[in-house]
């Protein structure tokens, strides 16, 4: 049933009726000494010397050698190579994060503020135009009226209409009143940025 998977050379395959001969041959091989195995290996190497030479000089073999050397270097450090105080300090000299007294990058704001008397400017907004104030009040009242229309079902149509009209009037008035960049320039080279 498994004859098609047999990888032995043709002359070593047993006949179907000669099972005892096959078993006898394998028992003799098991009884052989380590010297017979080394002789077999030497014979194999001598027969396939050309193939083994090309394998030795292949790219994969060189890559494997590099990998083995790298792994040996990694394993070169052993626990016994380290001093005992590498793991625990007998005197208890502070080595933990709570013992650190320097400043870290998390303290950047405090470190920068130590020698600096900078006070950020308080910009003046200036007078608010009355029309702008009216349009903002329209928007606020409109949104409140729309919210009340949701909760007060009896006056929903009236509050919804008033809220919608006030919101639209306020938004349209603020949009119409808005001055663009070309209207707020101070000179031809003004790019609009204000410090």
């Amino acid at each position: 049933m498994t004859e098609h998977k047999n990888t032995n050379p043709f002359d070593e395959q047993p006949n179907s009726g000669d099972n005892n001969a096959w078993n006898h041959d394998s028992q003799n091989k098991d009884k052989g000494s380590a010297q017979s195995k080394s002789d077999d290996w030497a014979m194999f190497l001598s027969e396939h010397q050309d193939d083994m030479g090309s394998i030795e000089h292949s790219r994969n073999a060189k890559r494997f050698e590099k990998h083995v050397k790298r792994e040996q270097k990694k394993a070169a450090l052993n626990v016994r190579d380290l001093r005992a105080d590498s793991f625990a300090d007998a005197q208890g000299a502070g080595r933990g994060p709570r013992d650190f007294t320097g400043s870290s990058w998390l303290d950047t704001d405090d470190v920068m503020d130590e020698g600096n008397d900078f006070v950020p400017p308080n910009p003046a907004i200036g007078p608010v135009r009355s029309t702008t104030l009216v349009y903002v009040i329209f928007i606020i009242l409109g949104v409140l009226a729309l919210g009340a229309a949701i909760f007060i079902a009896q006056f929903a149509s009236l509050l919804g209409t008033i809220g919608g009209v006030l919101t639209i009037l306020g938004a349209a008035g603020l949009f119409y009143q808005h001055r663009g960049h070309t209207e707020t320039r101070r000179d031809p080279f003004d790019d609009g940025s204000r410090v």
Side-chain angles (χ1 to χ4, degrees):
M1 186 166 152
T2 59
E3 284 182 336
H4 65 284
K5 293 182 181 177
N6 194 346
T7 58
N8 292 328
F10 181 74
D11 56 342
E12 290 185 16
Q13 292 183 4
N15 294 335
S16 58
D18 195 13
N19 286 336
N20 292 334
W22 178 258
N23 290 336
H24 179 70
D25 187 35
S26 64
Q27 287 173 357
N28 285 342
K29 284 187 179 179
D30 289 341
K31 291 179 183 176
S33 65
Q35 186 176 2
S36 67
K37 288 182 181 179
S38 65
D39 291 342
D40 290 344
W41 180 248
M43 186 175 71
F44 174 79
L45 286 177
S46 65
E47 288 176 2
H48 300 286
Q49 188 172 8
D50 295 336
D51 296 334
M52 296 304 274
S54 64
I55 290 173
E56 262 183 66
H57 300 296
S58 71
R59 189 182 313 167
N60 286 336
K62 291 177 183 175
R63 196 177 304 149
F64 180 72
E65 285 178 18
K66 287 181 184 177
H67 176 71
V68 168
K69 288 178 183 177
R70 210 177 304 128
E71 291 298 321
Q72 287 174 346
K73 285 181 183 178
K74 283 182 184 176
L77 182 63
N78 192 354
V79 174
R80 293 185 182 106
D81 296 339
L82 301 173
R83 297 189 325 253
D85 64 346
S86 298
F87 299 103
D89 196 2
Q91 291 132 3
R95 289 190 179 177
R98 295 182 189 140
D99 301 320
F100 181 70
T101 57
S103 62
S104 74
W105 65 272
L106 296 172
D107 303 325
T108 302
D109 292 337
D110 298 334
V111 172
M112 289 182 72
D113 290 342
E114 281 176 4
N116 198 351
D117 296 330
F118 174 74
V119 177
N122 188 8
I125 296 175
V128 178
R129 292 190 295 181
S130 59
T131 53
T132 305
L133 186 61
V134 168
Y135 290 136
V136 169
I137 291 172
F138 278 0
I139 289 178
I140 292 172
L141 288 176
V143 170
L144 289 175
L146 288 172
I150 294 171
F151 295 112
I152 303 172
Q154 299 165 347
F155 303 110
S157 61
L158 178 67
L159 287 174
T161 305
I162 292 172
V165 169
L166 286 175
T167 305
I168 290 173
L169 282 175
L174 285 176
F175 183 73
Y176 178 74
Q177 178 174 335
H178 177 69
R179 295 182 304 159
H181 174 65
T182 56
E183 298 168 0
T184 58
R185 280 187 183 174
R186 295 181 183 155
D187 59 42
F189 300 105
D190 185 10
D191 63 355
S193 63
R194 303 285 182 261
V195 181

